[in-house]
Amino acid sequence: MAQLNILITGGAGYIGSHVAKQLLETTTHNITILDNLSTGSTKTLDTLKTMREFNFIELDLKEFAQVADVLNTNNFDTIIHFAASIVVPESVENPLKYYMNNTVNTTNLIKCGTDAKIKRFIFSSTAAVYGEPSEVPKDGIDENYLTLPINPYGMSKLMSERVIQDTALANKEFKFVIFRYFNVAGADINYTDDKLTPRIGQSFPNATHLIKIASECATGKREKMAIFGDDFNTLDGTGVRDYIHVDDLASAHIKAIDYLLENDSDIFNAGYGRGYSVKEVIETMKKVTNTNFQVDNAARRAGDPAALISNNTKIKTKMHWSPNHNDLALICQSAFEWENY
Ligand SMILES: NC(=O)c1ccc[n+]([C@@H]2O[C@H](COP(=O)([O-])OP(=O)(O)OC[C@H]3O[C@@H](n4cnc5c(N)ncnc54)[C@H](O)[C@@H]3O)[C@@H](O)[C@H]2O)c1
């Protein structure tokens, strides 16, 4: 296969670093990571450096002139764009931060990319573009489901999706894959002497994701946690989400690079198509880590849908992606081992 020249924005962050890891370990493509290290980790970059050489550019995407310079001088053929602000409640309090960093900076990246004749653009979108579905269809939410984000984070991503789609319509040389991630969790599946020893994981403190918080409780870093709402219309009353292991999500990105060499642009849900309740996740975390921690009941949060489960037929049949770690216990275990590291 041809050697590609790939730019990864946000590659020092949680998901981007897992994609960088797979590209470094399983391909010979030239890799450049661009990151402003606002939530990304230099320790993660050091770990990636032990796998194979890559270029690192410390830069904020809001520096338009420098971004143009980087793209004009590096001859990239593919951009995988992770860099973004990602905290939903913060997006409600500070919407302009989200529209600037997520929508404006993405638009500029695409402008500079097309000026520099980039051919492929792979984008991290989110199930938040589906908003608050009143009812999840029996076989999950597919890509044609109504998009109606209920917070600035989701809207900033949906607007970026539109910019990407319109650019591809007008410019036949520019192709994209947009992934709408469901709930991403877990850490690098790596074994040392048969023991799960993740080398990278979610590093940024104050994360708001359920499995990260439960793993912090299991390690004792956090004293207790809350369940927000136990009166939803679900089997046990707590919210149901579709958790995808970060390494499986990463492998979808590697597939997307090849996919775009032969196929047209498209949008794909990235999830397992199966939901677990908050209670099930907490029980699984306690069981696999053999720990117990305090869990309180709290009021529902505004805008939390009862259930959000993907229909993943499209990514499986069109991209021929299949997961390797579709196992909630393994997801919880890897998150815990990383947290305990
Ligand atoms: N984590 C999830 O569950 C989830 C779910 C859906 C979608 N996503 C999307 O996946 C992508 C990656 O998320 P993550 O969980 O890895 O987050 P993260 O915060 O760990 O990673 C984001 C990275 O981008 C960098 N960055 C942010 N703004 C930048 C800027 N202006 N210039 C340069 N670098 C910048 C940060 O330093 C960080 O390294 C985001 O686009 C996010 O919206 C994540």
Side-chain angles (χ1 to χ4, degrees):
M1 213 249 270
Q3 195 183 38
L4 302 176
N5 196 12
I6 301 176
L7 173 67
I8 305 177
T9 74
Y14 172 47
I15 301 169
S17 64
H18 284 78
V19 172
K21 171 195 78 165
Q22 285 188 22
L23 283 167
L24 294 169
E25 290 195 322
T26 66
T27 77
T28 58
H29 299 319
N30 254 331
I31 306 301
T32 299
I33 290 177
L34 181 154
D35 202 297
N36 66 357
L37 299 176
S38 54
T39 58
S41 141
T42 46
K43 213 169 135 209
T44 295
L45 292 174
D46 290 343
T47 305
L48 293 174
K49 279 254 146 82
T50 65
M51 299 170 189
R52 176 157 72 80
E53 266 310 298
F54 62 89
N55 305 318
F56 174 61
I57 300 169
E58 185 173 346
L59 182 62
D60 195 310
L61 287 173
K62 72 178 182 201
E63 304 296 341
F64 287 6
Q66 290 177 57
V67 172
D69 196 44
V70 166
L71 289 170
N72 285 331
T73 50
N74 279 281
N75 211 17
F76 298 117
D77 42 64
T78 305
I79 298 178
I80 315 182
H81 179 40
F82 297 97
S85 303
I86 71 158
V87 182
V88 170
E90 187 193 45
S91 81
V92 177
E93 281 158 28
N94 190 357
L96 290 180
K97 173 176 175 183
Y98 282 70
Y99 289 118
M100 294 303 288
N101 197 26
N102 296 359
T103 314
V104 174
N105 290 345
T106 297
T107 304
N108 181 63
L109 182 66
I110 292 166
K111 160 86 175 68
C112 297
T114 49
D115 286 350
K117 308 263 181 291
I118 292 284
K119 294 191 176 58
R120 289 168 289 274
F121 194 85
I122 299 171
F123 180 63
S124 308
S125 190
T126 164
V129 299
Y130 298 119
E132 203 175 2
S134 48
E135 211 173 300
V136 176
K138 196 169 59 47
D139 45 4
I141 294 169
D142 72 20
E143 292 82 353
N144 296 320
Y145 198 89
L146 180 70
T147 48
L148 206 57
I150 54 161
N151 50 58
Y153 169 67
M155 186 52 97
S156 72
K157 289 285 181 174
L158 186 62
M159 288 163 78
S160 303
E161 287 194 9
R162 188 61 191 256
V163 173
I164 295 166
Q165 288 170 286
D166 285 346
T167 304
L169 267 182
N171 178 348
K172 298 295 170 219
E173 300 297 303
F174 176 87
K175 294 207 280 185
F176 68 82
V177 161
I178 291 170
F179 284 118
R180 291 178 178 157
Y181 308 162
F182 280 67
N183 288 53
V184 190
D188 174 38
I189 299 296
N190 177 65
Y191 290 92
T192 316
D193 298 331
D194 290 338
K195 184 174 167 9
L196 188 54
T197 46
R199 296 161 295 176
I200 53 175
Q202 197 166 10
S203 299
F204 193 61
N206 307 323
T208 51
H209 300 94
L210 173 66
I211 290 183
K212 170 86 174 166
I213 289 172
S215 67
E216 287 173 354
C217 289
T219 56
K221 285 184 188 171
R222 189 188 279 259
E223 197 191 325
K224 56 183 181 177
M225 63 181 292
I227 294 179
F228 297 102
D230 62 355
D231 55 352
F232 288 106
N233 185 17
T234 59
L235 276 182
D236 65 18
T238 65
V240 170
R241 296 290 181 274
D242 182 344
Y243 297 93
I244 176 171
H245 191 281
V246 63
D247 271 344
D248 278 335
L249 180 63
S251 77
H253 289 72
I254 315 296
K255 278 247 168 218
I257 297 169
D258 293 345
Y259 180 86
L260 281 179
L261 295 174
E262 313 228 324
N263 298 280
D264 291 336
S265 301
D266 217 332
I267 299 181
F268 296 92
N269 282 340
Y272 288 153
R274 150 91 156 99
Y276 289 96
S277 73
V278 174
K279 273 190 182 156
E280 284 176 306
V281 168
I282 294 172
E283 284 317 309
T284 306
M285 181 62 81
K286 286 182 173 176
K287 195 167 163 209
V288 296
T289 59
N290 199 17
T291 57
N292 200 2
F293 46 85
Q294 187 180 335
V295 181
D296 298 332
N297 283 330
R300 287 186 192 193
R301 290 176 299 198
D304 253 355
L308 213 48
I309 301 168
S310 70
N311 177 318
N312 63 5
T313 305
K314 190 170 170 186
I315 189 171
K316 282 179 156 168
T317 55
K318 272 189 98 172
M319 201 180 272
H320 304 295
W321 169 83
S322 56
N324 287 318
H325 311 299
N326 184 354
D327 175 352
L328 184 63
L330 181 67
I331 292 175
C332 288
Q333 180 87 43
S334 63
F336 171 79
E337 297 298 350
W338 167 250
E339 207 56 51
N340 215 14
Y341 179 54

